[in-house]
Amino acid sequence: MNKYYRYPSMQYWGDGTDLGGTALFDEEKLKLSESGKFLADARSARYLYSSFEDPKYAEFWASMGCKMEIRETKGERWALFLPMDVFDEPEKKYPILTIVRPLQYYAMTFYRDLFEMAAQGEFIVICYSSESAEQNRVLADMQDEVIREFHADPERIYITGHSHYGALAVEFAYSFKERIAGIAQMSDEAGVILDFNGIDQERLELMHGYDMPLINIGGTADMCGIFPINDNAKGIPLDGRMARVGFKMEKDDRIKSWQKKMYAMRCKVPTTEEIAAAGRTEAERVFGYPADRMYRFYAENTDHYVADFINTDGRWHFRTVAIENLPHATCHTMNEMAWSFLKRFSRNRETGEVVELY
């Protein structure tokens, strides 16, 4: 724990109009939950600060025990969050968590919890994205800059992103697979849709041939219609906007996308019949697919469902999580579960192998 860390309480919910949910989403239920309280704290940034460049925003993080600064690399501006302990313990190698998100208020809102974890001394944060996978290759230069300047650990570099930035995180991770130790994909499609979000058949084969720990977390009320996979998308018009932009809304297409995901993650691919029949337990009904192990836990007035899969090497490197009543947003438990999964792994720079730290 960073000895400088402080936590001031703030409660700003706002009007909620930017929460993207389905017809099943119960906004009042979310607001009254512990998850809603943390989300309200996070959303306060959009009302209290004008931007990442607002001096008051940097002052806030300094009061929390974190140095936040805006840097520029190859003409691209990005945010850096450093635990104050970095300066007291220069010999300590901190992990790097790379957040794929442009520097605007959604980043301040969606990743408040991760910025706080940086303040607590868990890792160093890099926050940057463009809308181009090619342009995002500059993230590697930003990571190298942090490694050189702050003695960060080159074998513990992780990446995360929400919505289509989750897809960009996946694209970067496999393009720089020798340096990324794990991915946290948030509120994105559950399966793999070919020729969508940068994955074609060639990329699918690359993913299948490489061990990459990945956690995919989404809400049961997400406007992308993530769960269940073995039925038509719930609470969303099958011919609506999400379908028009490329998401699969109908059962048969969704099942095929899940089979491709399991193939990409180097896990046993279930048959169409096995996926269609999923529903023996509450967790299976929520996910709409079977898993090697599943469980449910209750936190912050909310049910969370976890599915784990074992890959062809006998390793548990793929996890999915469904969070009850969560729309197209992040929440406290989503960010904490992402880090809880990622921190288990490092990547040996010489051999390229994934090392399980515990």
Side-chain angles (χ1 to χ4, degrees), residues 161-225:
H162 175 271
S163 192
H164 73 284
Y165 297 107
L168 287 170
V170 171
E171 198 284 336
F172 180 89
Y174 282 97
S175 295
F176 292 87
K177 57 187 186 299
E178 73 284 350
R179 68 165 61 212
I180 299 298
I183 308 168
Q185 193 174 6
M186 302 178 179
S187 300
D188 203 1
E189 68 268 16
V192 167
I193 304 169
L194 285 185
D195 302 317
F196 178 67
N197 276 342
I199 301 181
D200 56 15
Q201 188 63 43
E202 181 179 357
R203 177 53 62 100
L204 180 64
E205 296 299 333
L206 183 152
M207 295 170 73
H208 175 72
Y210 202 75
D211 184 13
M212 179 69 73
L214 185 148
I215 182 170
N216 195 336
I217 314 176
T220 63
D222 194 291
M223 67 182 185
C224 296

Side-chain angles (χ1 to χ4, degrees), residues 65-85:
C66 185
K67 180 177 173 57
M68 192 282 288
E69 59 183 66
I70 302 299
R71 295 194 166 199
E72 186 170 314
T73 300
K74 293 186 174 178
E76 298 298 311
R77 293 169 64 76
W78 54 286
L80 176 66
F81 290 79
L82 292 162
M84 292 298 189
D85 281 346

Side-chain angles (χ1 to χ4, degrees), residues 16-27 30 219-226 234-237 241-242 325-329:
T17 56
D18 57 347
L19 292 175
T22 70
L24 307 176
F25 174 45
D26 186 340
E27 183 176 338
L30 178 61
T220 63
D222 194 291
M223 67 182 185
C224 296
I226 302 171
K234 302 291 188 182
I236 307 172
R241 182 175 70 87
M242 300 312 296
N325 194 46
L326 185 70
H328 198 62

Side-chain angles (χ1 to χ4, degrees), residues 32-96:
L32 296 175
S33 71
E34 286 295 299
S35 292
K37 182 170 70 174
F38 283 107
L39 183 56
D41 272 351
R43 288 163 62 84
S44 66
R46 66 179 294 187
Y47 304 102
L48 297 176
Y49 313 108
S50 60
S51 68
F52 273 85
E53 284 83 4
D54 188 332
K56 292 181 180 179
Y57 191 58
E59 290 171 9
F60 167 74
W61 286 111
S63 73
M64 296 277 277
C66 185
K67 180 177 173 57
M68 192 282 288
E69 59 183 66
I70 302 299
R71 295 194 166 199
E72 186 170 314
T73 300
K74 293 186 174 178
E76 298 298 311
R77 293 169 64 76
W78 54 286
L80 176 66
F81 290 79
L82 292 162
M84 292 298 189
D85 281 346
V86 166
F87 305 101
D88 289 343
E89 303 174 351
E91 74 287 349
K92 181 177 177 179
K93 288 189 173 183
Y94 281 86
I96 297 174

Side-chain angles (χ1 to χ4, degrees), residues 82-152:
L82 292 162
M84 292 298 189
D85 281 346
V86 166
F87 305 101
D88 289 343
E89 303 174 351
E91 74 287 349
K92 181 177 177 179
K93 288 189 173 183
Y94 281 86
I96 297 174
L97 182 61
T98 308
I99 299 175
V100 181
R101 191 86 201 193
L103 299 189
Q104 31 87 319
Y105 79 84
Y106 272 120
M108 292 192 290
T109 295
F110 282 15
Y111 298 111
R112 159 71 178 268
D113 297 315
L114 295 180
F115 300 156
E116 276 198 35
M117 289 183 208
Q120 291 164 348
E122 292 288 331
F123 42 66
I124 295 170
V125 163
I126 291 170
C127 185
Y128 165 82
S129 185
S130 72
E131 297 298 321
S132 162
E134 184 64 31
Q135 180 59 52
N136 283 350
R137 292 174 179 270
V138 73
L139 281 166
D141 298 288
M142 297 168 185
Q143 292 164 354
D144 288 341
E145 183 175 327
V146 171
I147 291 168
R148 287 193 305 270
E149 191 169 338
F150 299 104
H151 196 56

Side-chain angles (χ1 to χ4, degrees), residues 241-307:
R241 182 175 70 87
M242 300 312 296
R244 291 195 295 273
V245 300
F247 286 91
K248 300 303 181 184
M249 298 288 107
E250 297 188 6
K251 173 181 175 179
D252 290 347
D253 290 332
R254 290 158 70 83
I255 288 175
K256 291 175 184 175
S257 76
W258 182 247
Q259 290 169 324
K260 289 183 175 64
K261 183 76 167 192
M262 292 292 282
Y263 178 77
M265 296 309 301
R266 308 173 69 244
C267 299
K268 181 180 180 295
V269 178
T271 66
T272 299
E273 292 73 23
E274 287 171 331
I275 298 173
R280 296 167 297 171
T281 66
E282 183 179 4
E284 271 198 7
R285 288 191 292 274
V286 169
F287 285 115
Y289 47 73
D292 295 305
R293 64 186 180 200
M294 281 187 178
Y295 59 93
R296 179 186 109 177
F297 71 90
Y298 187 72
E300 299 181 2
N301 310 106
T302 305
D303 282 318
H304 296 68
Y305 301 88
V306 180

